[in-house]
Amino acid sequence: MGELPETEVLLDWIEESYRAVAPKKLVAELDAS
């Protein structure tokens, strides 16, 4: 294993995963904020 990814990369991955599984209503709230 190499270096750990930067924090921003991890946050992007988390958000992408969340958007993939979250109900559309919650994703819309995320976009609104």
Side-chain angles (χ1 to χ4, degrees):
M1 284 180 67
E3 305 236 346
L4 288 173
E6 296 292 326
T7 303
E8 280 189 36
V9 175
L10 288 174
L11 292 176
D12 284 347
W13 287 345
I14 292 167
E15 184 174 332
E16 199 173 310
S17 301
Y18 178 79
R19 287 175 180 275
V21 299
K24 296 214 182 320
K25 180 181 174 191
L26 294 179
V27 174
E29 286 180 21
L30 191 66
D31 288 337
S33 61

